[in-house]
Coordinates of all heavy atoms in Angstrom, one line a residue:
M1 N -2.4 -31.1 -22.2 CA -1.4 -32.1 -22.5 C -1.3 -33.1 -21.3 O -1.1 -32.6 -20.2 CB 0.0 -31.3 -22.6 CG 1.1 -32.2 -23.2 SD 2.6 -31.3 -23.3 CE 2.2 -30.1 -24.6
A2 N -1.5 -34.3 -21.6 CA -1.5 -35.3 -20.5 C -0.1 -35.6 -20.0 O 0.8 -35.7 -20.8 CB -2.2 -36.6 -21.0
Q3 N 0.0 -35.7 -18.7 CA 1.3 -36.0 -18.2 C 1.2 -37.3 -17.3 O 0.2 -37.4 -16.6 CB 1.8 -34.9 -17.3 CG 2.2 -33.7 -18.1 CD 3.4 -33.9 -19.0 OE1 4.3 -34.6 -18.6 NE2 3.4 -33.3 -20.1
H4 N 2.1 -38.1 -17.4 CA 2.1 -39.3 -16.5 C 3.2 -39.2 -15.5 O 4.3 -39.5 -15.7 CB 2.2 -40.6 -17.4 CG 1.1 -40.7 -18.4 ND1 -0.1 -41.0 -18.1 CD2 1.1 -40.4 -19.7 CE1 -0.9 -41.0 -19.2 NE2 -0.1 -40.6 -20.2
L5 N 2.8 -38.8 -14.3 CA 3.7 -38.6 -13.2 C 3.8 -39.9 -12.4 O 2.9 -40.7 -12.4 CB 3.2 -37.5 -12.3 CG 3.2 -36.1 -12.9 CD1 2.4 -35.1 -12.1 CD2 4.6 -35.6 -13.2
P6 N 5.0 -40.1 -11.8 CA 5.1 -41.3 -11.0 C 4.1 -41.3 -9.9 O 3.8 -40.3 -9.3 CB 6.6 -41.2 -10.5 CG 7.0 -39.8 -10.7 CD 6.2 -39.3 -11.8
P7 N 3.6 -42.5 -9.5 CA 2.6 -42.6 -8.5 C 3.1 -42.1 -7.1 O 2.2 -41.7 -6.3 CB 2.2 -44.1 -8.4 CG 3.2 -44.8 -9.2 CD 3.9 -43.8 -10.1
D8 N 4.4 -42.0 -6.9 CA 4.9 -41.6 -5.6 C 5.3 -40.1 -5.6 O 5.9 -39.6 -4.7 CB 6.1 -42.4 -5.1 CG 7.2 -42.3 -6.1 OD1 7.0 -41.9 -7.3 OD2 8.4 -42.7 -5.8
A9 N 4.9 -39.4 -6.7 CA 5.2 -38.0 -6.8 C 4.4 -37.2 -5.7 O 3.3 -37.6 -5.3 CB 4.8 -37.4 -8.1
P10 N 5.0 -36.1 -5.2 CA 4.3 -35.3 -4.1 C 2.9 -34.9 -4.6 O 2.7 -34.7 -5.8 CB 5.2 -34.1 -3.9 CG 6.5 -34.4 -4.5 CD 6.3 -35.5 -5.5
V11 N 1.9 -34.8 -3.7 CA 0.6 -34.5 -4.1 C 0.5 -33.2 -4.9 O -0.2 -33.2 -5.9 CB -0.3 -34.4 -2.9 CG1 -1.7 -33.9 -3.2 CG2 -0.4 -35.8 -2.1
A12 N 1.3 -32.2 -4.5 CA 1.2 -30.9 -5.2 C 1.5 -31.1 -6.6 O 1.0 -30.4 -7.5 CB 2.2 -30.0 -4.5
S13 N 2.4 -32.0 -7.0 CA 2.9 -32.1 -8.3 C 1.9 -32.8 -9.2 O 2.0 -32.8 -10.4 CB 4.2 -32.9 -8.4 OG 3.9 -34.3 -8.1
L14 N 0.8 -33.3 -8.6 CA -0.2 -34.0 -9.4 C -1.1 -33.0 -10.1 O -2.0 -33.4 -10.9 CB -1.0 -35.0 -8.5 CG -0.1 -36.2 -8.0 CD1 -0.9 -37.0 -7.1 CD2 0.5 -37.0 -9.1
T15 N -1.0 -31.8 -9.7 CA -1.8 -30.8 -10.4 C -1.5 -30.8 -11.8 O -0.3 -30.9 -12.2 CB -1.5 -29.4 -9.8 OG1 -1.6 -29.4 -8.4 CG2 -2.5 -28.3 -10.3
D16 N -2.5 -30.7 -12.7 CA -2.1 -30.9 -14.1 C -1.3 -29.7 -14.7 O -1.4 -28.6 -14.2 CB -3.4 -31.1 -14.9 CG -4.3 -29.9 -15.0 OD1 -4.7 -29.4 -13.9 OD2 -4.5 -29.3 -16.1
C17 N -0.6 -30.0 -15.8 CA 0.3 -29.1 -16.4 C -0.4 -27.8 -16.8 O 0.2 -26.7 -16.7 CB 0.9 -29.7 -17.6 SG 2.1 -31.0 -17.1
A18 N -1.6 -27.9 -17.4 CA -2.3 -26.7 -17.9 C -2.5 -25.7 -16.7 O -2.3 -24.5 -16.9 CB -3.7 -27.1 -18.4
H19 N -2.8 -26.2 -15.5 CA -3.0 -25.4 -14.4 C -1.7 -24.7 -14.0 O -1.7 -23.5 -13.7 CB -3.6 -26.2 -13.2 CG -3.9 -25.4 -12.0 ND1 -5.1 -24.7 -11.9 CD2 -3.2 -25.2 -10.9 CE1 -5.1 -24.1 -10.7 NE2 -4.0 -24.4 -10.1
I20 N -0.7 -25.5 -13.9 CA 0.7 -25.0 -13.6 C 1.1 -23.9 -14.5 O 1.6 -22.9 -14.1 CB 1.7 -26.2 -13.5 CG1 1.4 -27.1 -12.4 CG2 3.1 -25.7 -13.5 CD1 1.6 -26.6 -11.0
R21 N 0.9 -24.2 -15.8 CA 1.4 -23.3 -16.8 C 0.6 -21.9 -16.8 O 1.2 -20.9 -17.2 CB 1.2 -23.9 -18.2 CG 2.4 -24.9 -18.4 CD 2.2 -25.8 -19.6 NE 3.1 -26.9 -19.5 CZ 3.6 -27.6 -20.5 NH1 3.2 -27.3 -21.7 NH2 4.4 -28.6 -20.3
M22 N -0.6 -21.9 -16.3 CA -1.3 -20.6 -16.1 C -0.5 -19.7 -15.2 O -0.6 -18.5 -15.2 CB -2.6 -20.8 -15.5 CG -3.7 -21.4 -16.5 SD -5.4 -21.3 -15.8 CE -5.2 -21.5 -14.1
H23 N 0.3 -20.3 -14.3 CA 1.0 -19.5 -13.3 C 2.5 -19.4 -13.5 O 3.2 -18.8 -12.8 CB 0.8 -20.2 -11.9 CG -0.6 -20.2 -11.5 ND1 -1.4 -19.1 -11.2 CD2 -1.4 -21.3 -11.3 CE1 -2.6 -19.5 -10.8 NE2 -2.6 -20.8 -10.9
L24 N 2.9 -20.1 -14.6 CA 4.4 -20.2 -14.9 C 5.0 -18.9 -15.2 O 6.1 -18.6 -14.7 CB 4.6 -21.2 -16.0 CG 5.9 -22.0 -15.9 CD1 6.0 -22.7 -14.6 CD2 5.9 -23.1 -17.0
D25 N 4.3 -18.0 -15.9 CA 4.8 -16.7 -16.2 C 5.1 -15.9 -15.0 O 6.2 -15.4 -14.8 CB 3.8 -16.0 -17.1 CG 4.4 -15.0 -18.0 OD1 5.7 -15.1 -18.2 OD2 3.7 -14.1 -18.5
A26 N 4.1 -15.8 -14.1 CA 4.3 -15.1 -12.9 C 5.4 -15.7 -12.0 O 6.2 -15.0 -11.4 CB 3.0 -15.0 -12.1
F27 N 5.4 -17.1 -12.0 CA 6.5 -17.8 -11.3 C 7.9 -17.4 -11.8 O 8.7 -17.1 -11.0 CB 6.2 -19.3 -11.4 CG 7.2 -20.1 -10.6 CD1 7.0 -20.4 -9.3 CD2 8.3 -20.7 -11.2 CE1 7.9 -21.2 -8.5 CE2 9.2 -21.4 -10.5 CZ 9.0 -21.7 -9.2
A28 N 8.0 -17.4 -13.1 CA 9.3 -17.1 -13.7 C 9.7 -15.6 -13.4 O 10.9 -15.3 -13.2 CB 9.3 -17.3 -15.2
D29 N 8.7 -14.8 -13.2 CA 8.9 -13.4 -12.9 C 9.2 -13.2 -11.4 O 9.5 -12.1 -11.0 CB 7.7 -12.5 -13.3 CG 7.6 -12.3 -14.8 OD1 8.5 -12.8 -15.5 OD2 6.6 -11.6 -15.2
G30 N 9.0 -14.2 -10.6 CA 9.1 -14.1 -9.2 C 7.9 -13.3 -8.6 O 8.0 -12.7 -7.5
E31 N 6.8 -13.3 -9.3 CA 5.7 -12.4 -8.9 C 4.5 -13.3 -8.5 O 3.3 -12.8 -8.4 CB 5.3 -11.5 -10.1 CG 6.2 -10.4 -10.2 CD 6.0 -9.6 -11.5 OE1 5.1 -10.0 -12.3 OE2 6.7 -8.6 -11.8
L32 N 4.7 -14.6 -8.3 CA 3.6 -15.5 -8.0 C 3.4 -15.5 -6.5 O 4.2 -16.0 -5.7 CB 3.9 -16.9 -8.5 CG 2.8 -17.9 -8.3 CD1 1.5 -17.4 -9.0 CD2 3.2 -19.3 -8.9
T33 N 2.3 -14.8 -6.0 CA 2.1 -14.7 -4.6 C 0.8 -15.3 -4.1 O 0.5 -15.3 -3.0 CB 2.1 -13.2 -4.2 OG1 1.1 -12.5 -5.0 CG2 3.5 -12.5 -4.4
A34 N 0.0 -15.9 -5.1 CA -1.3 -16.4 -4.8 C -1.2 -17.7 -4.0 O -0.1 -18.4 -4.0 CB -2.1 -16.6 -6.0
F35 N -2.3 -18.1 -3.4 CA -2.4 -19.4 -2.6 C -3.4 -20.3 -3.3 O -4.4 -19.7 -4.0 CB -2.8 -19.1 -1.2 CG -1.7 -18.5 -0.4 CD1 -1.6 -17.1 -0.5 CD2 -0.9 -19.2 0.4 CE1 -0.6 -16.5 0.3 CE2 0.1 -18.6 1.2 CZ 0.3 -17.2 1.1
D36 N -3.3 -21.6 -3.2 CA -4.3 -22.4 -3.8 C -5.5 -22.6 -2.8 O -5.5 -22.0 -1.7 CB -3.7 -23.8 -4.2 CG -3.3 -24.7 -3.0 OD1 -3.6 -24.3 -1.9 OD2 -2.8 -25.8 -3.3
A37 N -6.4 -23.5 -3.2 CA -7.6 -23.7 -2.4 C -7.3 -24.3 -1.0 O -8.1 -24.2 -0.1 CB -8.6 -24.6 -3.1
H38 N -6.1 -24.9 -0.9 CA -5.7 -25.5 0.4 C -4.7 -24.6 1.2 O -4.0 -25.1 2.0 CB -5.2 -26.9 0.2 CG -6.0 -27.7 -0.6 ND1 -7.2 -28.3 -0.2 CD2 -5.9 -28.1 -1.9 CE1 -7.8 -29.0 -1.2 NE2 -7.0 -28.9 -2.2
D39 N -4.7 -23.3 0.8 CA -3.8 -22.4 1.5 C -2.3 -22.7 1.3 O -1.5 -22.3 2.1 CB -4.1 -22.3 3.0 CG -5.3 -21.3 3.2 OD1 -5.5 -20.5 2.3 OD2 -5.9 -21.4 4.3
H40 N -1.9 -23.5 0.3 CA -0.5 -23.7 0.0 C -0.1 -22.6 -1.0 O -0.8 -22.3 -1.9 CB -0.3 -25.0 -0.7 CG -0.6 -26.2 0.2 ND1 0.1 -26.4 1.4 CD2 -1.5 -27.2 0.0 CE1 -0.4 -27.5 1.9 NE2 -1.3 -28.0 1.1
P41 N 1.1 -22.0 -0.7 CA 1.5 -20.9 -1.7 C 1.7 -21.6 -3.1 O 2.2 -22.7 -3.2 CB 2.9 -20.5 -1.1 CG 3.0 -21.0 0.2 CD 2.0 -22.2 0.3
L42 N 1.3 -20.9 -4.1 CA 1.4 -21.5 -5.5 C 2.8 -21.6 -5.9 O 3.1 -22.5 -6.7 CB 0.6 -20.6 -6.4 CG -0.9 -20.7 -6.4 CD1 -1.6 -19.8 -7.4 CD2 -1.4 -22.2 -6.6
T43 N 3.7 -20.8 -5.3 CA 5.1 -21.0 -5.7 C 5.6 -22.4 -5.3 O 6.4 -23.0 -6.0 CB 6.0 -19.9 -5.0 OG1 5.7 -19.9 -3.6 CG2 5.8 -18.6 -5.6
E44 N 5.1 -22.9 -4.1 CA 5.5 -24.2 -3.7 C 5.0 -25.3 -4.6 O 5.6 -26.2 -5.0 CB 5.0 -24.5 -2.3 CG 6.0 -24.1 -1.2 CD 5.5 -24.3 0.2 OE1 4.7 -25.3 0.4 OE2 5.9 -23.6 1.1
L45 N 3.7 -25.1 -5.0 CA 3.0 -26.0 -5.9 C 3.7 -26.1 -7.2 O 4.0 -27.1 -7.7 CB 1.6 -25.5 -6.1 CG 0.6 -26.5 -6.6 CD1 0.1 -27.4 -5.5 CD2 -0.7 -25.7 -7.1
V46 N 4.0 -24.9 -7.8 CA 4.7 -24.8 -9.1 C 6.1 -25.4 -9.0 O 6.5 -26.2 -9.8 CB 4.7 -23.4 -9.7 CG1 5.5 -23.3 -10.9 CG2 3.2 -22.9 -9.9
G47 N 6.8 -25.0 -7.9 CA 8.1 -25.5 -7.7 C 8.2 -27.0 -7.6 O 9.1 -27.6 -8.2
A48 N 7.3 -27.6 -6.9 CA 7.2 -29.0 -6.7 C 6.9 -29.7 -8.0 O 7.5 -30.7 -8.4 CB 6.1 -29.4 -5.7
H49 N 6.0 -29.1 -8.8 CA 5.7 -29.6 -10.1 C 6.9 -29.6 -11.0 O 7.1 -30.6 -11.7 CB 4.5 -28.8 -10.7 CG 4.0 -29.4 -12.0 ND1 3.1 -30.3 -12.1 CD2 4.4 -29.1 -13.3 CE1 2.9 -30.6 -13.4 NE2 3.7 -29.9 -14.1
L50 N 7.6 -28.5 -11.0 CA 8.8 -28.4 -11.9 C 9.8 -29.4 -11.6 O 10.6 -29.8 -12.5 CB 9.3 -26.9 -11.8 CG 8.4 -25.8 -12.4 CD1 9.2 -24.5 -12.3 CD2 8.0 -26.1 -13.8
R51 N 9.9 -29.8 -10.3 CA 10.9 -30.8 -10.0 C 10.6 -32.2 -10.6 O 11.5 -33.0 -10.8 CB 11.1 -30.9 -8.4 CG 11.9 -29.8 -7.9 CD 12.3 -30.1 -6.4 NE 11.2 -30.0 -5.5 CZ 10.7 -28.9 -5.0 NH1 11.2 -27.8 -5.3 NH2 9.7 -29.0 -4.2
V52 N 9.4 -32.4 -10.8 CA 9.0 -33.8 -11.3 C 8.5 -33.8 -12.8 O 8.4 -34.8 -13.4 CB 7.9 -34.4 -10.4 CG1 8.5 -34.7 -9.0 CG2 6.7 -33.6 -10.4
C53 N 8.3 -32.6 -13.3 CA 7.7 -32.5 -14.7 C 8.7 -31.8 -15.6 O 8.8 -30.6 -15.5 CB 6.4 -31.8 -14.7 SG 5.7 -31.7 -16.3
E54 N 9.4 -32.6 -16.4 CA 10.4 -32.0 -17.3 C 9.9 -31.0 -18.3 O 10.5 -30.0 -18.5 CB 11.2 -33.1 -17.9 CG 12.7 -32.7 -18.1 CD 13.3 -33.4 -19.4 OE1 12.9 -34.5 -19.6 OE2 14.0 -32.7 -20.1
P55 N 8.8 -31.3 -19.0 CA 8.3 -30.4 -20.0 C 8.0 -29.0 -19.4 O 8.3 -28.0 -19.9 CB 7.0 -31.0 -20.5 CG 7.2 -32.5 -20.3 CD 8.0 -32.6 -19.0
C56 N 7.4 -29.0 -18.2 CA 7.1 -27.7 -17.5 C 8.4 -27.0 -17.1 O 8.5 -25.8 -17.1 CB 6.1 -27.9 -16.3 SG 4.4 -28.2 -16.9
A57 N 9.3 -27.8 -16.6 CA 10.6 -27.3 -16.2 C 11.3 -26.6 -17.3 O 11.9 -25.5 -17.2 CB 11.5 -28.3 -15.5
R58 N 11.3 -27.3 -18.5 CA 11.9 -26.7 -19.7 C 11.2 -25.4 -20.1 O 11.8 -24.4 -20.5 CB 11.8 -27.7 -20.9 CG 13.0 -28.6 -21.0 CD 13.1 -29.1 -22.5 NE 11.9 -29.7 -22.9 CZ 11.7 -31.0 -22.8 NH1 12.6 -31.8 -22.3 NH2 10.6 -31.6 -23.3
L59 N 9.8 -25.4 -20.0 CA 9.1 -24.2 -20.3 C 9.5 -23.1 -19.4 O 9.6 -21.9 -19.8 CB 7.6 -24.5 -20.2 CG 6.6 -23.5 -20.8 CD1 6.8 -23.3 -22.3 CD2 5.2 -23.8 -20.5
E60 N 9.6 -23.4 -18.1 CA 10.0 -22.4 -17.1 C 11.4 -21.8 -17.5 O 11.6 -20.6 -17.4 CB 10.0 -23.0 -15.7 CG 9.9 -21.9 -14.6 CD 11.3 -21.6 -14.0 OE1 12.2 -22.4 -14.2 OE2 11.4 -20.6 -13.3
H61 N 12.3 -22.7 -17.9 CA 13.6 -22.3 -18.3 C 13.5 -21.4 -19.5 O 14.2 -20.3 -19.6 CB 14.5 -23.5 -18.6 CG 15.9 -23.2 -18.8 ND1 16.7 -22.9 -17.7 CD2 16.6 -23.1 -19.9 CE1 18.0 -22.6 -18.2 NE2 17.9 -22.7 -19.5
A62 N 12.7 -21.7 -20.5 CA 12.5 -20.9 -21.7 C 11.9 -19.5 -21.3 O 12.4 -18.5 -21.9 CB 11.5 -21.6 -22.6
L63 N 11.0 -19.5 -20.4 CA 10.4 -18.2 -19.9 C 11.5 -17.3 -19.3 O 11.5 -16.1 -19.5 CB 9.3 -18.5 -18.9 CG 8.0 -18.9 -19.5 CD1 7.0 -19.3 -18.5 CD2 7.3 -17.7 -20.3
Q64 N 12.4 -18.0 -18.5 CA 13.5 -17.2 -17.8 C 14.4 -16.7 -18.9 O 14.8 -15.5 -18.8 CB 14.3 -18.2 -16.9 CG 13.5 -18.7 -15.7 CD 13.5 -17.7 -14.6 OE1 13.8 -16.6 -14.7 NE2 13.1 -18.3 -13.4
S65 N 14.7 -17.5 -19.9 CA 15.6 -17.0 -21.0 C 14.9 -15.9 -21.8 O 15.6 -14.9 -22.1 CB 15.9 -18.2 -22.0 OG 16.4 -19.2 -21.3
L66 N 13.6 -16.0 -22.0 CA 12.9 -15.0 -22.7 C 12.9 -13.7 -21.9 O 13.1 -12.6 -22.5 CB 11.4 -15.4 -22.9 CG 10.5 -14.5 -23.8 CD1 11.0 -14.5 -25.2 CD2 9.1 -15.0 -23.7
R67 N 12.7 -13.8 -20.6 CA 12.7 -12.7 -19.7 C 14.1 -12.0 -19.8 O 14.1 -10.8 -19.9 CB 12.4 -13.2 -18.3 CG 11.9 -12.2 -17.4 CD 11.4 -12.8 -16.1 NE 11.6 -11.7 -15.1 CZ 10.9 -10.6 -15.2 NH1 10.0 -10.4 -16.1 NH2 11.0 -9.7 -14.3
A68 N 15.1 -12.8 -19.7 CA 16.5 -12.2 -19.8 C 16.7 -11.5 -21.1 O 17.3 -10.4 -21.2 CB 17.5 -13.3 -19.6
A69 N 16.2 -12.1 -22.2 CA 16.3 -11.5 -23.5 C 15.6 -10.2 -23.6 O 16.1 -9.2 -24.2 CB 15.9 -12.5 -24.6
L70 N 14.4 -10.2 -23.1 CA 13.5 -9.0 -23.1 C 14.2 -7.9 -22.3 O 14.2 -6.7 -22.6 CB 12.1 -9.3 -22.5 CG 11.2 -10.0 -23.5 CD1 9.9 -10.4 -22.7 CD2 10.9 -9.2 -24.7
H71 N 14.8 -8.3 -21.2 CA 15.5 -7.4 -20.3 C 16.7 -6.7 -21.0 O 16.8 -5.5 -21.0 CB 16.0 -8.1 -19.1 CG 16.5 -7.2 -18.0 ND1 15.6 -6.4 -17.2 CD2 17.7 -6.9 -17.5 CE1 16.3 -5.7 -16.4 NE2 17.5 -6.0 -16.5
A72 N 17.4 -7.5 -21.7 CA 18.6 -7.1 -22.5 C 18.1 -6.1 -23.6 O 18.7 -5.1 -23.9 CB 19.3 -8.2 -23.1
L73 N 17.0 -6.5 -24.3 CA 16.4 -5.7 -25.3 C 15.9 -4.4 -24.8 O 16.2 -3.3 -25.4 CB 15.2 -6.5 -25.9 CG 14.6 -5.9 -27.2 CD1 15.6 -6.1 -28.4 CD2 13.4 -6.6 -27.6
G74 N 15.3 -4.4 -23.6 CA 14.9 -3.2 -23.0 C 16.0 -2.2 -22.7 O 15.9 -1.0 -23.0
R75 N 17.2 -2.8 -22.3 CA 18.3 -1.9 -22.0 C 18.8 -1.3 -23.3 O 19.2 -0.2 -23.4 CB 19.4 -2.8 -21.4 CG 19.4 -2.8 -19.9 CD 20.8 -3.1 -19.4 NE 21.4 -4.3 -19.9 CZ 21.3 -5.5 -19.3 NH1 20.6 -5.6 -18.2 NH2 21.8 -6.5 -19.9
R76 N 18.8 -2.1 -24.4 CA 19.3 -1.7 -25.7 C 18.4 -0.5 -26.2 O 18.9 0.4 -26.8 CB 19.3 -2.8 -26.7 CG 20.3 -2.6 -27.9 CD 20.8 -3.8 -28.4 NE 19.8 -4.7 -28.9 CZ 19.8 -6.0 -28.6 NH1 20.7 -6.6 -27.9 NH2 18.9 -6.8 -29.1
E77 N 17.1 -0.7 -26.0 CA 16.2 0.4 -26.4 C 16.4 1.7 -25.7 O 16.3 2.8 -26.2 CB 14.7 -0.1 -26.2 CG 14.2 -0.8 -27.5 CD 12.9 -1.4 -27.3 OE1 12.2 -1.2 -26.3 OE2 12.5 -2.2 -28.2
Q78 N 16.8 1.6 -24.4 CA 17.1 2.8 -23.6 C 18.3 3.5 -24.2 O 18.3 4.7 -24.4 CB 17.4 2.4 -22.2 CG 16.1 2.3 -21.3 CD 16.4 1.8 -20.0 OE1 17.6 1.7 -19.5 NE2 15.4 1.4 -19.3
V79 N 19.3 2.6 -24.6 CA 20.5 3.2 -25.2 C 20.1 3.9 -26.5 O 20.6 5.0 -26.8 CB 21.5 2.1 -25.5 CG1 22.7 2.6 -26.4 CG2 22.1 1.6 -24.2
T80 N 19.3 3.2 -27.3 CA 18.9 3.8 -28.6 C 18.2 5.1 -28.4 O 18.4 6.1 -29.1 CB 17.9 2.8 -29.4 OG1 18.6 1.6 -29.4 CG2 17.6 3.4 -30.7
E81 N 17.3 5.2 -27.4 CA 16.6 6.4 -27.1 C 17.5 7.5 -26.7 O 17.3 8.6 -27.1 CB 15.6 6.1 -25.9 CG 14.4 7.1 -25.9 CD 13.3 6.5 -25.1 OE1 12.8 5.4 -25.5 OE2 12.9 7.1 -24.1
R82 N 18.5 7.2 -25.9 CA 19.5 8.2 -25.5 C 20.2 8.7 -26.7 O 20.4 9.9 -26.9 CB 20.5 7.6 -24.5 CG 20.1 7.7 -23.1 CD 21.3 7.7 -22.2 NE 22.1 6.5 -22.3 CZ 21.7 5.3 -21.6 NH1 20.7 5.3 -20.8 NH2 22.4 4.3 -21.8
A83 N 20.6 7.8 -27.6 CA 21.2 8.2 -28.9 C 20.4 9.1 -29.7 O 20.8 10.1 -30.2 CB 21.6 7.0 -29.7
S84 N 19.1 8.8 -29.8 CA 18.2 9.6 -30.6 C 18.0 11.0 -29.9 O 17.8 12.0 -30.6 CB 16.9 8.9 -30.9 OG 16.1 8.7 -29.8
D85 N 18.0 11.0 -28.6 CA 17.9 12.3 -27.9 C 19.1 13.2 -28.3 O 18.9 14.4 -28.6 CB 17.9 12.1 -26.4 CG 16.5 11.9 -25.9 OD1 15.5 11.9 -26.7 OD2 16.3 11.6 -24.6
A86 N 20.2 12.6 -28.2 CA 21.5 13.3 -28.6 C 21.4 13.8 -30.0 O 21.8 15.0 -30.3 CB 22.7 12.4 -28.4
L87 N 20.9 13.0 -30.9 CA 20.8 13.3 -32.3 C 19.8 14.5 -32.5 O 20.1 15.4 -33.2 CB 20.3 12.1 -33.1 CG 20.3 12.2 -34.6 CD1 21.8 12.3 -35.0 CD2 19.7 10.9 -35.2
R88 N 18.7 14.4 -31.7 CA 17.7 15.5 -31.8 C 18.3 16.8 -31.4 O 18.1 17.8 -32.0 CB 16.5 15.1 -30.9 CG 15.2 14.7 -31.7 CD 14.0 14.8 -31.0 NE 14.0 14.1 -29.7 CZ 13.8 12.8 -29.5 NH1 13.4 12.1 -30.6 NH2 13.8 12.3 -28.4
R89 N 19.1 16.7 -30.3 CA 19.7 18.0 -29.8 C 20.7 18.5 -30.8 O 20.7 19.7 -31.0 CB 20.4 17.7 -28.5 CG 19.5 17.8 -27.2 CD 20.4 18.0 -26.0 NE 21.2 16.8 -25.7 CZ 20.9 15.7 -25.2 NH1 19.6 15.6 -24.7 NH2 21.7 14.7 -25.0
R90 N 21.4 17.6 -31.4 CA 22.4 18.0 -32.4 C 21.7 18.7 -33.6 O 22.2 19.7 -34.1 CB 23.2 16.7 -32.9 CG 24.2 17.0 -33.9 CD 25.6 17.3 -33.3 NE 26.6 17.6 -34.3 CZ 27.0 18.8 -34.5 NH1 26.6 19.9 -33.8 NH2 27.9 19.1 -35.5
V91 N 20.6 18.1 -34.1 CA 19.8 18.7 -35.2 C 19.3 20.0 -34.8 O 19.4 21.0 -35.6 CB 18.7 17.7 -35.6 CG1 17.7 18.4 -36.6 CG2 19.2 16.4 -36.2
A92 N 18.8 20.1 -33.5 CA 18.3 21.4 -33.1 C 19.4 22.5 -33.1 O 19.2 23.6 -33.4 CB 17.7 21.2 -31.7
Q93 N 20.6 22.1 -32.6 CA 21.8 23.0 -32.6 C 22.1 23.4 -34.0 O 22.3 24.6 -34.3 CB 23.0 22.3 -32.0 CG 23.0 22.4 -30.5 CD 24.1 21.5 -29.9 OE1 24.9 20.9 -30.6 NE2 24.1 21.3 -28.6
L94 N 22.1 22.5 -35.0 CA 22.4 22.8 -36.3 C 21.4 23.8 -36.9 O 21.8 24.7 -37.6 CB 22.5 21.5 -37.2 CG 23.7 20.6 -37.0 CD1 23.5 19.3 -37.8 CD2 25.0 21.4 -37.5
L95 N 20.1 23.5 -36.6 CA 19.1 24.4 -37.1 C 19.2 25.8 -36.5 O 19.0 26.8 -37.2 CB 17.7 23.8 -36.8 CG 17.3 22.6 -37.6 CD1 16.0 22.0 -37.1 CD2 17.2 22.9 -39.1
A96 N 19.6 25.8 -35.2 CA 19.7 27.1 -34.5 C 20.9 27.9 -35.0 O 20.9 29.1 -34.9 CB 19.8 26.9 -33.0
S97 N 21.9 27.2 -35.5 CA 23.1 27.9 -35.9 C 23.1 28.5 -37.3 O 24.0 29.1 -37.8 CB 24.3 27.0 -35.7 OG 24.2 25.9 -36.7
R98 N 22.0 28.2 -38.0 CA 21.9 28.7 -39.3 C 21.7 30.2 -39.4 O 20.9 30.8 -38.6 CB 20.7 28.1 -40.0 CG 21.0 26.7 -40.6 CD 19.9 26.2 -41.4 NE 20.3 24.9 -42.0 CZ 19.6 24.3 -42.9 NH1 18.5 24.8 -43.4 NH2 20.0 23.2 -43.4
Ligands
ZN112 ZN1 3.9 -30.2 -16.0

């Protein structure tokens, strides 16, 4: 996807969107620890890009939302699992009391 960044944008932000998006998932997870070819932390590179590139910033926001949703879903599944554990115990009790 071609992006037209302002000519005075920081050099780091001139990295193309496809490259930034490869790292966006890890960035949103706070797990981006790699460095680029010039020893700049990729978090800085991606952060600088997100400040000047609205589509990528929106995507990062969507990833954060997705992450929050998955987190909430994960919690709900834990609750469900606890419920089914209790149910299994109850069934076992019922079977044992026959
Ligand atoms: Zn971009």
